[in-house]
Amino acid sequence: MTYLYKPRHSGRTSPLRRIRVLAAAAGLAAAAGIGVAALQQSSTPASAAGAQTLTGAESTVTVDGAPAAREQQRDQAVPGAASTPKAGAAKPTAAAQAGAGTTAAATTTAPPSPSAATTTAPPQQKELSYQFAWQENYYFCGPAATRIALTARGIFASQSQVAQHLGTTVNGTNSADDTTRALNSYTGTSFYKSHFITGQTATQADVDQLKASVLNAISHGYAVVANIAGSTVDDAGHGHSYPGGHYLTIVGYRDGGQTVKIADPADAQGAGSYMLSLDKMADWIAQRGYSA
């Protein structure tokens, strides 16, 4: 800032007056400097206060009505952001920390291993409740045997309906894979698996597998459908011969699985069921398979 001094007289100014004028000008300049410094000093806190107020106002802005949501979005937007609480945030109580630890432990606890689970041995003998029906024609043994197995699960489809699921033709039903597929489809499960005995006669391993399959299926309420071929003699001494192949249903067992009960939809004896040793049953299935 400059000051323009205009003398009252056009004449020459005296030295004393000049000194007084210069002193007054210096005093005014000093006062102006003090005023500027005071103005700068007083404006700094106001600016800081304004900045703090702005920061505080921003922290209270809600996102969809939730102040915490914005803070969470901000934290998640920073890769590797620390999970430490923000300044001024309330620390969790000891009870809350204990509860959080309990929840974490509960969610990370592994389920018990199969070996730790309690298993119940199957009974020494069991027979399923089922509805028997003779096969309706010479090539419906597959649908008839599968239908018998389904009735043990409370499913009462017709033989013709089951035949459509099996893909049965006048040449019969192809294999145990077809009965497995149809049984799982009707029961809405994946319980049934196909098992095959590939040799001319059953090995001890085949017999053991058949026994385990029968015990597991029957004890859980599922009948077994077997595809057999050839001839055998049941425990009562009656012969049964199907050289071209046949399907029948295992609906029970006794002696711990060493003897099985068969529901046969084409039984020549007219009884519809008979008992057969497990070894003979396995040999009858040889070169074929079963669904269990």
Side-chain angles (χ1 to χ4, degrees):
M1 182 180 294
T2 60
Y3 293 90
L4 178 61
Y5 171 71
K6 183 177 180 180
R8 294 183 180 179
H9 304 285
S10 58
R12 184 175 181 180
T13 307
S14 66
L16 181 58
R17 184 177 180 83
R18 185 179 298 170
I19 290 172
R20 291 175 179 175
V21 169
L22 291 175
L28 290 172
I34 294 173
V36 171
L39 179 62
Q40 291 177 346
Q41 184 176 4
S42 61
S43 64
T44 300
S47 299
Q52 292 173 356
T53 303
L54 178 60
T55 302
E58 184 197 15
S59 66
T60 60
V61 174
T62 62
V63 178
D64 294 332
R70 181 162 185 167
E71 295 299 324
Q72 183 178 9
Q73 291 173 357
R74 182 181 303 155
D75 293 343
Q76 291 175 348
V78 181
S83 58
T84 56
K86 292 181 173 58
K91 294 183 179 180
T93 63
Q97 290 178 340
T102 304
T103 303
T107 56
T108 56
T109 302
S113 60
S115 59
T118 303
T119 57
T120 303
Q124 283 296 300
Q125 62 181 34
K126 183 174 181 178
E127 181 178 334
L128 300 177
S129 176
Y130 66 95
Q131 184 186 78
F132 180 84
W134 300 101
Q135 64 187 68
E136 296 175 356
N137 56 50
Y138 72 93
Y139 58 89
F140 259 23
C141 60
T146 302
R147 180 192 174 278
I148 291 172
L150 291 173
T151 64
R153 302 297 301 171
I155 301 169
F156 300 92
S158 68
Q159 292 186 24
S160 296
Q161 290 172 329
V162 176
Q164 292 179 356
H165 278 74
L166 293 172
T168 303
T169 68
V170 292
N171 295 318
T173 304
N174 286 333
S175 75
D177 281 336
D178 297 305
T179 55
T180 296
R181 184 189 67 253
L183 287 164
N184 283 333
S185 176
Y186 269 106
T187 58
T189 69
S190 58
F191 177 86
Y192 282 96
K193 303 292 186 295
S194 298
H195 304 272
F196 296 93
I197 299 177
T198 57
Q200 294 284 341
T201 57
T203 65
Q204 186 58 49
D206 293 327
V207 174
D208 293 341
Q209 178 60 64
L210 177 61
K211 179 180 178 179
S213 298
V214 168
L215 290 175
N216 179 65
I218 301 297
S219 64
H220 286 88
Y222 292 83
V224 176
V225 176
N227 183 14
I228 57 89
S231 302
T232 194
V233 177
D234 65 31
D235 285 7
H238 302 297
H240 306 272
S241 182
Y242 302 102
H246 184 52
Y247 284 88
L248 40 77
T249 313
I250 299 175
V251 294
Y253 66 86
R254 68 185 184 192
D255 304 325
Q258 291 303 118
T259 305
V260 294
K261 180 176 182 178
I262 296 172
D264 186 346
D267 177 23
Q269 302 300 319
S273 65
Y274 44 88
M275 306 300 295
L276 188 67
S277 71
L278 187 71
D279 290 342
K280 289 183 177 180
M281 185 73 241
D283 281 337
W284 216 10
I285 298 172
Q287 296 186 304
R288 302 290 176 106
Y290 58 96
S291 301

